[in-house]
Amino acid sequence: MEEVNVYDSALFNIEERLGPLRFSKFAHQFTQNGIVALYHSLTHQVIYLSQEIYQWLKEIIENKGKQEVDQNILKKLITHGFLVSPRYDESKRIQKISSRFLGKPVFRILYLLLTDICNLRCRYCFIEGAMPADYTFSSMNEEIAVKGVNLFAQLLKRNPKDRRFGHPTIIFYGGEPLLNQKVFLASLNEIDRLKRAERLPQSLSLITNATILNEDVLKSIVENEVAVSVSLDGPQDIHDANRVIVDREGTFQTVLRNIQKLQKAGVNISISCTINQQNLDQLEEIFQWMVVEFQLKGLGFNMLLDLPGIAQTNEEYARKATEKIIACYQVAREKGIYEDRIMRKVKAFVKKSLHLVDCGGCGNQIVISPNGRIGPCHAYVSSKRFFPGDINDSDFDPFLDPIFVEWSSWSPFNIPKCHFCEAIGLCGGGCPYNAELKFGSIWNIDPNFCIHSKNVLEWLIWDLFEKTKGGE
């Protein structure tokens, strides 16, 4: 994304005279130990001032510039958009970003839901937890899988040429995808054919509970360079508290053996760890254990989503989970381990770019359900809400479909109450599914995710201070 211009051109003659000024609505103040950090929420620029200088600036603005002015400081604040003229319409910046980047699907992720059947009964699962008692389970057949990967190849070719969208990837998902081994292997064969024809990307990922792994599957994973994300919540007592099979027997020992097999075969594995009541208090110790036990290169923390009629999270959970994730990230950073959840925001902060959406479902992904329905979000696989298409309908066009267009519009930049929030530039808005579950519409916001984003932002601001000004 190109740099956002926040300069108020009405102030171009600052060297000749100083007109009325005000702080930008995108300028936010954070105070710690006598230091004020001025942060611009669209550009991620941070300027650190003493409280005395900050108070001096406020007095200048309140007195409309009648005091003696330090031109260098004012020019810096104006150039970086912290100070603007009173009539400057900042809402136009939001509108420009929205019209340029939102409301236009750009597909880079394919979720193939090989089956909605799972051999586990994880107590916090948002997929199974949303299924009604009379739900009819199904598994994808080879025809749907082949059509699905070919549709994705077509969408990649049709993506707008002027939009950068990262590395395309195909994700095998469920249920437990390896319960449908036959179609998993057939999909890999078709993907390999299309890759050889340079119609599909190299990146493939399998998200699995790692309780089912045989030699044929392992061989294909290695041959096709499939990255594997294994769900693991901690050592045995913690993992087995939630991740159990149908008869409530724990799965840790099986998962451990299969991780070892994958690593021995040279597979690129990462851990997907769901933060729950069993591991929250010990998350840092659990992370350290995982690093030593598995020599990790990557890990992703998942925050709980609510279930229909059951709130699994609250504000205290959001604050504490965020605090623990930050602590783990600090260790991961030192050891060169990639932690996905924090890195989404770190990348935006460091590169001075906008993190418009936190979820691929908001305009960047297509999900194929086991029976061939097409939608943007796998959380709705049981209800089929927001699944407007069918893989056998050759006229269905996700680029033009109203549901896909609406989801591609979903962003804090299109939610008015978010526009002048300090975290808008790196928040991404969280999970539309969880917002709808809580408040009845995807266009509401989840206050727990607001807490997460704001706390991460404040940590980033003071972490930068410690690594720059604090080290002088």
Side-chain angles (χ1 to χ4, degrees), residues 4-183:
V4 178
N5 178 17
V6 293
Y7 177 63
D8 181 1
S9 58
L11 300 175
F12 73 95
N13 60 345
I14 182 66
E15 293 184 359
E16 299 176 11
R17 64 179 179 84
L18 179 64
L21 294 171
R22 66 171 173 84
F23 278 109
S24 165
K25 293 179 181 179
F26 300 116
H28 302 273
Q29 298 82 41
F30 299 83
T31 303
Q32 186 180 96
N33 299 327
I35 300 297
V36 175
L38 285 179
Y39 168 74
H40 198 291
S41 56
L42 294 188
T43 65
H44 308 300
Q45 291 287 345
V46 188
I47 296 177
Y48 301 97
L49 304 169
S50 68
Q51 283 186 320
E52 291 77 13
I53 292 179
Y54 176 65
Q55 283 300 126
W56 169 79
L57 278 171
K58 286 183 66 177
E59 290 173 8
I60 289 177
I61 292 170
E62 290 169 359
N63 294 322
K64 299 180 181 179
K66 294 179 181 178
Q67 299 183 33
E68 183 179 345
V69 177
D70 185 320
Q71 293 283 320
N72 290 329
I73 292 178
L74 287 181
K75 285 173 67 176
K76 185 175 183 180
L77 290 169
I78 290 169
T79 300
H80 290 296
F82 288 96
L83 294 178
V84 296
S85 55
R87 295 185 179 182
Y88 184 52
D89 185 1
E90 296 183 277
S91 62
K92 290 183 178 180
R93 296 299 174 195
I94 296 287
Q95 295 166 6
K96 183 177 180 180
I97 292 166
S98 174
S99 62
R100 173 69 179 87
F101 297 104
L102 300 171
K104 309 174 187 70
V106 180
F107 297 105
R108 62 180 180 83
I109 303 169
L110 169 65
Y111 269 86
L112 274 184
L113 273 57
L114 298 185
T115 181
D116 51 21
I117 302 169
C118 189
N119 59 324
L120 269 59
R121 295 295 181 267
C122 301
R123 293 180 171 90
Y124 50 63
C125 180
F126 70 95
I127 298 289
E128 186 174 311
M131 292 176 174
D134 60 351
Y135 182 75
T136 301
F137 293 90
S138 60
S139 294
M140 186 176 287
N141 60 39
E142 291 186 30
E143 180 184 4
I144 290 174
V146 168
K147 287 183 176 180
V149 297
N150 278 271
L151 172 62
F152 186 53
Q154 295 168 18
L155 296 177
L156 291 177
K157 186 176 181 180
R158 291 177 55 203
N159 271 332
K161 304 302 182 185
D162 62 339
R163 294 284 299 279
R164 290 180 290 175
F165 52 87
H167 300 292
T169 187
I170 296 174
I171 299 173
F172 295 99
Y173 199 78
E176 169 48 48
L178 293 184
L179 286 172
N180 195 357
Q181 174 184 323
K182 179 181 177 182
V183 175

Side-chain angles (χ1 to χ4, degrees), residues 205-210 226-231 268-273 300:
S205 180
L206 168 68
I207 299 177
T208 177
N209 60 37
V226 180
V228 178
S229 177
V230 176
S231 299
N268 176 20
I269 77 156
S270 62
I271 298 297
S272 177
C273 178

Side-chain angles (χ1 to χ4, degrees), residues 178 181-182 184-185 188 206 210-224 226 228 257-267:
L178 293 184
Q181 174 184 323
K182 179 181 177 182
F184 174 67
L185 298 178
L188 289 177
L206 168 68
T211 60
I212 304 168
L213 183 68
N214 61 38
E215 291 303 317
D216 289 340
V217 169
L218 181 57
K219 180 181 178 183
S220 290
I221 287 172
V222 173
E223 289 177 348
N224 290 276
V226 180
V228 178
R257 286 194 299 271
N258 285 331
I259 290 176
Q260 291 168 347
K261 288 180 183 178
L262 289 163
Q263 290 188 313
K264 185 177 180 180
V267 176

